Amino acid sequence: MAKVAFLGLGVMGFPMAGHLAAAGHKVTVYNRTAAKAEAWVEKHAGEWAATPADAARDCDFVMACVGNDDDLRAVCLGETGAFAGMKPGAIFVDHTTVSAKVSRELAEIAREKGLGYVDAPVSGGQAGAEGGVLSVMCGGSEAEYTKAEPVIDAYAKACLRMGDVGAGQLTKMCNQIAIAGVVQGLSEALHFAEKAGLPITDVVEAISQGAAGSWQMSNRYKTMAEEKYDFGFAVDWMRKDLNICLTTANETGASLPVTALVDQFYKEVQSMGGGRWDTSSLIARLRKLG
């Protein structure tokens, strides 16, 4: 068992930190809004700290799951940042979906301070975090990954090292690119079925067992048919992730025409007031169009 800090107690971080405590690790949490940290301690025991540095002090591992590049820099750097409190040899594990650029930047600073760094974005959404069955894609040295992997296992169904620091974030970009295309395709299929007067449940039963089947189809078609979107992975966050994908594609020379198009479709969903809707709300845009 390890002494672990967890920074960021949103819809993902709160249950992830809970799984660490349930696995027997000694957990100290930090959240920008202290009330969430207090609520976590009330539910899971453990301790909470007023700053990332205080949370990280004397810990073997410091996990983070915050919002974006700037949020990550804020919890890592400065006098109250996690790096200031971490002991030499401790490993920082970042579960935030951010750019590979900021992962490499922070890893270099960590190395200068004698710290380890693993970028480890996750897939599986809120349900995966709550169930402890996330897919985790990691970047970092083999030695640091090997040390961190047993701790990550507390909330992971699958955990793989993809390469050096930044490789985890690049793999997460692949994940989001694939999801964008699949959700748009599913939205169009269900919209077409509605317009053609076909029973949605029967259509999905017929096509889901073949090549058209997907996690999105199995887990989202009912709520899409019922026009329910108030759950899951928010459109605002998906657009943040797709912006990272498109920016990186410009840097690497990759062509992502479908991803760019779906990103604009999500922009339209935001204009409909759906910024906090689940990503499956792409079908709402098609229904609005007629």
Side-chain angles (χ1 to χ4, degrees):
M1 297 299 103
K3 186 174 181 182
V4 182
F6 203 103
L7 315 178
L9 299 174
V11 295
M12 301 292 287
F14 195 104
M16 290 166 73
H19 286 298
L20 289 170
H25 299 293
K26 184 177 180 180
V27 182
T28 301
V29 298
Y30 163 81
N31 193 72
R32 188 163 47 189
T33 304
K36 283 189 178 181
E38 293 172 345
W40 186 91
V41 170
E42 184 176 346
K43 182 174 182 179
H44 297 289
E47 299 178 351
W48 72 276
T51 69
D54 290 338
R57 214 169 304 282
D58 200 38
C59 285
D60 305 301
F61 299 91
V62 178
M63 272 63 178
C65 190
V66 292
N68 55 38
D69 286 24
D70 290 339
D71 294 330
L72 182 61
R73 288 190 183 97
V75 298
C76 287
L77 305 178
E79 293 182 0
T80 61
F83 289 178
M86 292 172 68
K87 64 184 180 181
I91 298 175
F92 188 90
V93 179
D94 176 37
H95 292 304
T96 316
T97 298
V98 292
S99 67
K101 179 179 179 180
V102 78
S103 294
R104 293 169 183 142
E105 168 194 320
L106 292 173
E108 181 61 30
I109 296 171
R111 278 192 290 269
E112 292 172 357
K113 294 178 176 291
L115 309 173
Y117 194 101
V118 176
D119 66 297
V122 302
S123 180
Q126 183 176 350
E130 291 173 350
V133 290
L134 293 168
S135 293
V136 188
M137 45 220 88
C138 300
S141 72
E142 289 188 22
E144 289 167 359
Y145 170 78
T146 299
K147 290 178 181 178
E149 192 267 342
V151 182
I152 295 171
D153 270 351
Y155 38 76
K157 173 179 67 175
C159 185
L160 293 171
R161 176 180 178 268
M162 308 307 299
D164 293 332
V165 170
Q169 296 298 343
L170 292 170
T171 304
K172 178 61 183 288
M173 293 175 209
C174 296
N175 185 81
Q176 302 305 75
I177 291 164
I179 289 174
V182 169
V183 176
Q184 178 62 19
L186 175 60
S187 297
E188 292 184 14
L190 298 184
H191 179 62
F192 178 86
E194 289 175 343
K195 288 294 187 180
L198 297 171
I200 295 296
T201 299
D202 291 348
V203 169
V204 171
E205 182 178 354
I207 70 175
S208 62
Q209 303 307 309
S214 67
W215 185 96
Q216 297 289 340
M217 182 177 290
S218 298
N219 290 275
R220 292 291 184 261
Y221 88 88
K222 287 184 180 179
T223 50
M224 292 168 77
E226 296 169 358
E227 300 184 60
K228 295 179 179 178
Y229 318 117
D230 191 20
F231 64 93
F233 191 68
V235 168
D236 287 344
W237 291 114
M238 186 60 159
R239 286 212 72 209
K240 184 266 290 186
D241 291 357
L242 294 182
N243 180 64
I244 294 172
C245 297
L246 294 168
T247 299
T248 306
N250 286 334
E251 295 169 353
T252 61
S255 178
L256 303 180
V258 173
T259 303
L261 186 60
V262 175
D263 177 59
Q264 291 306 300
F265 292 163
Y266 276 126
K267 183 178 180 180
E268 293 180 34
V269 174
Q270 287 176 319
S271 71
M272 294 166 59
R276 302 304 298 175
W277 291 350
D278 181 69
T279 51
S280 59
S281 58
L282 280 175
I283 195 173
R285 171 187 166 273
L286 296 173
R287 288 179 173 132
K288 182 180 178 181
L289 293 172

